[in-house]
Coordinates of all heavy atoms in Angstrom, one line a residue:
R292 N -15.7 -19.8 -15.6 CA -16.5 -20.6 -16.6 C -15.7 -20.9 -17.8 O -15.6 -22.1 -18.3 CB -17.8 -19.9 -16.9 CG -18.9 -20.9 -17.3 CD -20.1 -20.1 -17.7 NE -20.8 -19.4 -16.6 CZ -21.6 -19.9 -15.8 NH1 -21.9 -21.2 -15.9 NH2 -22.1 -19.2 -14.8
P293 N -15.0 -19.9 -18.4 CA -14.3 -20.1 -19.7 C -13.1 -21.1 -19.6 O -12.6 -21.6 -20.6 CB -13.8 -18.8 -20.2 CG -14.5 -17.8 -19.3 CD -14.9 -18.5 -18.1
Y294 N -12.7 -21.3 -18.4 CA -11.4 -22.1 -18.2 C -11.8 -23.6 -17.9 O -10.9 -24.4 -17.7 CB -10.6 -21.5 -17.1 CG -10.1 -20.1 -17.5 CD1 -10.9 -19.0 -17.2 CD2 -8.9 -20.0 -18.2 CE1 -10.5 -17.8 -17.5 CE2 -8.5 -18.7 -18.5 CZ -9.3 -17.6 -18.2 OH -8.9 -16.3 -18.6
I295 N -13.0 -23.9 -17.7 CA -13.4 -25.3 -17.3 C -13.4 -26.1 -18.6 O -13.9 -25.8 -19.6 CB -14.8 -25.3 -16.7 CG1 -14.8 -24.5 -15.4 CG2 -15.3 -26.7 -16.4 CD1 -16.2 -24.3 -14.7
D296 N -12.8 -27.3 -18.5 CA -12.9 -28.3 -19.6 C -13.2 -29.6 -19.0 O -13.5 -29.8 -17.8 CB -11.6 -28.3 -20.5 CG -10.4 -28.8 -19.8 OD1 -10.6 -29.4 -18.7 OD2 -9.3 -28.5 -20.2
A297 N -13.2 -30.7 -19.9 CA -13.6 -32.0 -19.4 C -12.7 -32.6 -18.3 O -13.1 -33.5 -17.6 CB -13.6 -33.0 -20.6
N298 N -11.5 -32.0 -18.2 CA -10.6 -32.5 -17.1 C -10.6 -31.7 -15.8 O -9.8 -32.0 -14.9 CB -9.2 -32.6 -17.7 CG -9.1 -33.6 -18.8 OD1 -9.7 -34.7 -18.7 ND2 -8.3 -33.3 -19.8
T299 N -11.4 -30.7 -15.8 CA -11.4 -29.8 -14.6 C -12.2 -30.5 -13.5 O -13.3 -31.0 -13.7 CB -12.1 -28.5 -14.9 OG1 -11.4 -27.9 -16.0 CG2 -12.0 -27.5 -13.7
R300 N -11.6 -30.6 -12.3 CA -12.2 -31.3 -11.2 C -12.5 -30.4 -10.0 O -13.3 -30.8 -9.2 CB -11.2 -32.4 -10.7 CG -10.8 -33.5 -11.7 CD -12.0 -34.5 -11.8 NE -11.7 -35.4 -13.0 CZ -12.2 -35.2 -14.2 NH1 -13.2 -34.3 -14.4 NH2 -11.9 -36.0 -15.2
A301 N -11.8 -29.3 -9.9 CA -12.0 -28.5 -8.7 C -11.6 -27.0 -9.0 O -10.9 -26.7 -9.9 CB -11.1 -29.0 -7.6
I302 N -12.2 -26.2 -8.1 CA -11.8 -24.7 -8.0 C -11.4 -24.5 -6.6 O -12.0 -24.9 -5.6 CB -13.0 -23.8 -8.4 CG1 -13.3 -24.0 -9.9 CG2 -12.6 -22.4 -8.1 CD1 -14.5 -23.2 -10.3
S303 N -10.2 -23.8 -6.4 CA -9.8 -23.4 -5.1 C -9.5 -21.9 -5.1 O -8.8 -21.4 -6.0 CB -8.6 -24.1 -4.6 OG -8.3 -23.7 -3.3
M304 N -10.0 -21.1 -4.2 CA -9.8 -19.7 -4.1 C -10.0 -19.1 -2.7 O -10.5 -19.8 -1.9 CB -10.8 -19.0 -5.1 CG -12.3 -19.1 -4.6 SD -13.5 -18.4 -5.7 CE -13.4 -16.7 -5.3
S305 N -9.5 -17.9 -2.6 CA -9.7 -17.2 -1.3 C -11.0 -16.3 -1.4 O -11.3 -15.8 -2.5 CB -8.5 -16.2 -1.0 OG -7.4 -17.0 -0.7
Q306 N -11.7 -16.2 -0.3 CA -12.9 -15.4 -0.3 C -12.5 -13.9 -0.3 O -13.1 -13.1 -1.0 CB -13.6 -15.7 1.0 CG -14.8 -14.8 1.3 CD -15.2 -14.9 2.8 OE1 -14.4 -15.2 3.7 NE2 -16.5 -14.8 3.1
V307 N -11.5 -13.5 0.5 CA -11.1 -12.1 0.6 C -9.6 -12.1 0.4 O -8.8 -12.9 0.8 CB -11.3 -11.6 2.1 CG1 -10.6 -10.3 2.4 CG2 -12.8 -11.5 2.4
T308 N -9.1 -11.1 -0.4 CA -7.7 -11.0 -0.7 C -7.0 -10.2 0.4 O -7.5 -9.1 0.8 CB -7.4 -10.4 -2.1 OG1 -7.9 -9.1 -2.2 CG2 -8.0 -11.2 -3.2
F309 N -5.9 -10.7 0.8 CA -5.1 -10.1 1.8 C -4.4 -8.8 1.3 O -4.0 -7.9 2.0 CB -4.0 -11.0 2.3 CG -2.9 -11.4 1.3 CD1 -1.7 -10.8 1.4 CD2 -3.2 -12.3 0.3 CE1 -0.7 -11.1 0.4 CE2 -2.2 -12.5 -0.7 CZ -1.0 -11.9 -0.6
H310 N -4.1 -8.8 -0.1 CA -3.3 -7.7 -0.6 C -4.0 -6.6 -1.2 O -3.4 -5.5 -1.5 CB -2.4 -8.3 -1.7 CG -3.1 -8.8 -2.9 ND1 -3.8 -9.9 -2.9 CD2 -3.3 -8.2 -4.1 CE1 -4.4 -10.1 -4.1 NE2 -4.1 -9.0 -4.8
A311 N -5.4 -6.7 -1.3 CA -6.1 -5.5 -1.8 C -7.6 -5.4 -1.3 O -8.3 -4.5 -1.7 CB -6.1 -5.6 -3.3

Side-chain angles (χ1 to χ4, degrees):
R292 210 184 293 278
Y294 298 87
I295 297 175
D296 67 17
N298 295 324
T299 305
R300 299 281 170 261
I302 294 177
S303 179
M304 64 183 280
S305 292
Q306 171 197 30
V307 166
T308 63
F309 68 102
H310 65 283

